[in-house]
Amino acid sequence: MHINKSKDLFAKAQHFIPGGVNSPVRAFRAVGGEPIFIKKADGAFIYDEDDNAYIELINSWGPMILGHNHPLIREAVIKAMEHGTSFGAPTSREVEIAELITHMVPSIEKVRMVNSGTEATMSAIRLARGYTGRDKFIKFEGHYHGHGDSFLIAAGSGVATMGYPDSPGVTKGTAKDTLLAPHNNIEAVKELVENNKGEIAAIILEPVAGNMGCVLPREGFLKALRELCDQEGIVLIFDEVMSGFRLAKGGAQEHFGVTPDLTTLGKIIGGGMPVGAYGGKKEIMDFVSPAGPVYQAGTLSGNPIAMAAGLAMLTHLNETPSVYSDLNRIGNKLVGGFQQSLKKLGLNYTINHLGSMYTLFFTYNEVYDFDSAKNSDTVLFGKYFQAMLQKGIYLAPSQYESLFLSTALSDKDIEKIIEANEASLIEVFTDKK
Ligand SMILES: *Cc1c(COP(=O)(O)O)cnc(C)c1O
């Protein structure tokens, strides 16, 4: 396999783009080697500039739940394009998608569309602060909520991948209002609430964490947070940018049966176009301008092309429950195969898995929070990543990411991934000895 064109492009990109990429993890720094540049993608496959084909296990970091270039979405976008690309004025599709979202995610009574997950979480925190009149909020170590200043404290995703504790450029004034708790530790959360009585506007979390690798909530954790928030008048925000429309039609909140006050959405909601949203209880959402005093706006928010893509995606998910049973079957088959290989090779690595999200952690420990995730051997992961890439499997270039399955994966693709996984593990270990 050669990647000459990608190498040339990356060399040139270094001159004009910081680090050669428009989002840090894409640069492959955590796994060594150089990033491949993508020419096109279709179904379960992505193709680089040198025409190598790879089976997709990232799917644009989540959005492509139906695989790439799905005809329903492609046709909706092309049709919308014929009528212009942006109006900066309300359109019927925005009403339609808002109604559909409130139907699919019943805790959302009203919703505001934005352009990214980052915008959604920033806006949701501002809203929670405006609504409660309080300044502080609690986030969890290793959770990622986009790159808004107040979230870049012990954040997951690229921040974890690059090993940054927090980011320069975030002022002390901002950072002091972000309180940190370890994931899955309700006692620590209670203590923070006790020590900051009446000052906490919101608790925000990924109900299934995906940005420190896939880490599930322990039994009762989400419910305990719900009860605590009710007692203390705190706004509970589920950041479902990753899990929304993925773990179930109604996201993780449907799967676990715990209802947040606000939900942030992104990724799948735009069908691959830049879309995010935040929504929740009417009473809170009516604080958003122009209904209420909390300001939030966007020139391209509700963009007609993006809404067409999102509407096509959500309509299909809403009307096709088999998507979720298919994803569960695919996830179970893949992870089941991985587990068999690990057993055969005598490796006790941890696989965290739910539905179409999973992470193979290079550690023998249970992974239930950021510290336990960090026990993983990231050097081994880097070798494994490269071995998989050589075998035509495209993984997230970091140990600290969840992988995302799509309905486009055939049984044959899954078997190929399982074989590649076993061969890669053997390679990594032979190499180690
Ligand atoms: C990806 C992600 C974000 C940020 O979304 P962007 O569209 O990249 O700004 C926020 N929260 C979670 C849980 C995410 O996975």
Side-chain angles (χ1 to χ4, degrees), residues 53-313:
Y54 307 86
I55 301 178
E56 257 286 48
L57 290 175
I58 319 178
N59 285 295
S60 188
W61 304 90
M64 313 326 293
I65 190 168
L66 306 175
H68 290 280
N69 201 15
H70 194 281
L72 280 175
I73 294 164
R74 182 175 64 237
E75 277 152 30
V77 167
I78 292 171
K79 203 163 150 228
M81 290 283 272
E82 284 169 1
H83 297 283
T85 51
S86 179
F87 314 128
T91 60
S92 66
R93 264 184 226 122
E94 293 168 81
V95 187
E96 222 180 309
I97 201 169
E99 187 177 8
L100 183 55
I101 292 167
T102 62
H103 170 74
M104 293 173 80
V105 189
S107 75
I108 300 183
E109 295 173 334
K110 285 193 179 178
V111 60
R112 170 61 65 82
M113 306 308 293
V114 293
N115 305 287
S116 67
T118 293
E119 262 189 78
T121 55
M122 279 167 43
S123 309
I125 284 291
R126 183 186 307 133
L127 173 58
R129 285 169 163 163
Y131 174 74
T132 57
R134 302 170 178 178
D135 288 347
K136 297 179 183 173
F137 72 90
I138 296 175
K139 83 173 275 291
F140 292 88
E141 292 163 6
H143 288 217
Y144 180 69
H145 304 294
H147 65 87
D149 282 3
S150 58
F151 297 116
L152 289 179
I153 322 282
S157 189
V159 191
T161 301
M162 302 293 173
Y164 302 147
D166 359 80
S167 175
V170 176
T171 65
K172 288 193 189 75
T174 297
K176 79 171 178 16
D177 288 327
T178 303
L179 308 177
L180 272 179
H183 184 69
N184 271 326
N185 187 335
I186 191 68
E187 290 313 317
V189 180
K190 284 185 176 161
E191 202 178 308
L192 278 177
V193 170
E194 202 50 47
N195 294 338
N196 296 273
K197 203 83 181 160
E199 293 182 273
I200 296 174
I203 295 179
I204 185 168
L205 78 158
E206 300 178 59
V208 171
N211 286 292
M212 50 177 161
C214 179
V215 182
L216 306 187
R218 279 186 166 156
E219 181 79 40
F221 179 61
L222 299 175
K223 194 160 159 275
L225 289 175
R226 175 70 276 175
E227 284 163 7
L228 183 64
C229 286
D230 285 341
Q231 276 163 25
E232 303 289 334
I234 295 170
V235 176
L236 180 62
I237 307 173
F238 278 5
D239 181 355
E240 296 228 43
V241 169
M242 229 175 221
S243 54
F245 311 111
R246 175 167 287 282
L247 294 177
K249 190 163 95 174
Q253 54 194 273
E254 178 185 322
H255 180 84
F256 292 103
V258 177
T259 306
D261 300 304
L262 293 178
T263 301
T264 53
L265 296 164
K267 299 192 169 119
I268 291 172
I269 200 175
M273 298 294 274
V275 181
Y278 64 106
K281 281 189 180 149
K282 220 181 271 179
E283 182 195 329
I284 305 178
M285 289 307 290
D286 279 339
F287 265 67
V288 178
S289 183
V294 175
Y295 197 71
Q296 186 272 309
T299 302
L300 295 175
S301 293
N303 172 272
I305 313 298
M307 292 302 101
L311 201 50
M313 172 67 91

